[in-house]
Amino acid sequence: TGLPAVNSYRKSKINGLAEMDWGAGDWNYEYTKEHHIILELPESMTSGNEYTLEINSSTNTDSTSVTFTYDIFNSRTEAIHTNLVGFYADSSIKAADLYMWMGDGGARDYTDFEGNTVYVYNVTTQQAIPVSTVTFGQTKATETDNRYMIQSDVWHADFTGFFTPGTYRIAIEGVGCSEDFEISEDIFFEPFKVYTQGFLY
């Protein structure tokens, strides 16, 4: 039999904005939001196991049952933050951040994940290489305009010293994996070209 979620949280973001007619001393705006539902489970999922999520039809969702395999090398998570432009294939610092703001659920605490293995996962060869462990980075701090932009403490997943060019993900034991990124000798060439042509044109 299935286990009910312990709790659910909602994170809402504006994902579209339209400037409409002028009125009352300012433009009228219309906007749309996207909502992320985050479930707190009664126990941790095990990598490699298959799970089925059953959703009550009263939520008016387009699907009431989703079956998936939890796999840290293929289960994406927005909690692992990398430079999606990529990284130089040299001795420069290479690291990802681990944190997640869960909307009305507050910041996710990853203290219990300190010491968990960090992998560099080669998307082409599907080889996972352990490179470090999760370490604590810093407590929540103000950023631009003295605001708490990410609203969370931050943990680090370091992979400095990994040089091989290719397409990769960062995977963390018990968490999941990042979006894909590249390691290359000329990783910033394309962004530099776009930036420069923006000035020219």
Side-chain angles (χ1 to χ4, degrees):
T1 61
L3 298 174
V6 173
N7 216 329
S8 64
Y9 310 108
R10 182 173 71 176
K11 177 166 63 176
S12 302
K13 296 180 179 180
I14 293 177
N15 71 340
L17 182 69
E19 187 178 77
M20 309 303 286
D21 298 330
W22 181 267
D26 196 357
W27 298 103
N28 292 311
Y29 293 94
E30 290 187 0
Y31 59 90
T32 57
K33 286 184 178 181
E34 63 181 18
H35 304 276
H36 299 255
I37 305 300
I38 300 156
L39 300 178
E40 181 181 348
L41 303 180
E43 57 189 43
S44 298
M45 292 188 293
T46 301
S47 192
N49 282 4
E50 185 179 88
Y51 297 89
T52 299
L53 175 64
E54 301 287 351
I55 306 169
N56 194 305
S57 60
S58 65
T59 60
N60 294 320
T61 182
D62 58 350
S63 177
T64 57
S65 181
V66 179
T67 298
F68 62 94
T69 299
Y70 172 61
D71 168 13
I72 65 166
F73 303 110
N74 293 287
S75 296
R76 310 286 180 145
T77 172
E78 64 181 74
I80 302 175
H81 305 260
T82 66
N83 184 342
L84 295 182
V85 170
F87 298 86
Y88 272 127
D90 63 9
S91 59
S92 59
I93 293 171
K94 299 180 181 70
D97 289 334
L98 174 64
Y99 65 87
M100 186 174 181
W101 174 250
M102 302 189 299
D104 58 13
R108 175 70 163 94
D109 184 359
Y110 285 100
T111 301
D112 290 344
F113 292 79
E114 291 176 28
N116 282 20
T117 305
V118 176
Y119 298 89
V120 172
Y121 178 79
N122 188 310
V123 174
T124 304
T125 66
Q126 299 183 357
Q127 180 185 16
I129 304 162
V131 289
S132 69
T133 59
V134 174
T135 58
F136 183 74
Q138 68 177 62
T139 55
K140 180 176 70 171
T142 57
E143 299 167 75
T144 181
D145 197 25
N146 209 35
R147 297 176 183 272
Y148 292 99
M149 304 299 286
I150 65 172
Q151 298 281 343
S152 177
D153 294 346
V154 177
W155 288 260
H156 289 316
D158 192 276
F159 58 107
T160 301
F162 190 87
F163 309 119
T164 309
T167 302
Y168 299 96
R169 299 170 193 154
I170 293 299
I172 297 177
E173 177 189 0
V175 181
C177 67
S178 71
E179 296 295 332
D180 297 354
F181 61 86
E182 289 185 37
I183 294 177
S184 169
E185 301 285 353
D186 59 353
I187 194 65
F188 292 118
F189 172 76
E190 203 60 37
F192 177 76
K193 183 176 77 172
V194 172
Y195 180 77
T196 305
Q197 288 177 335
F199 278 111
L200 178 64
Y201 297 120

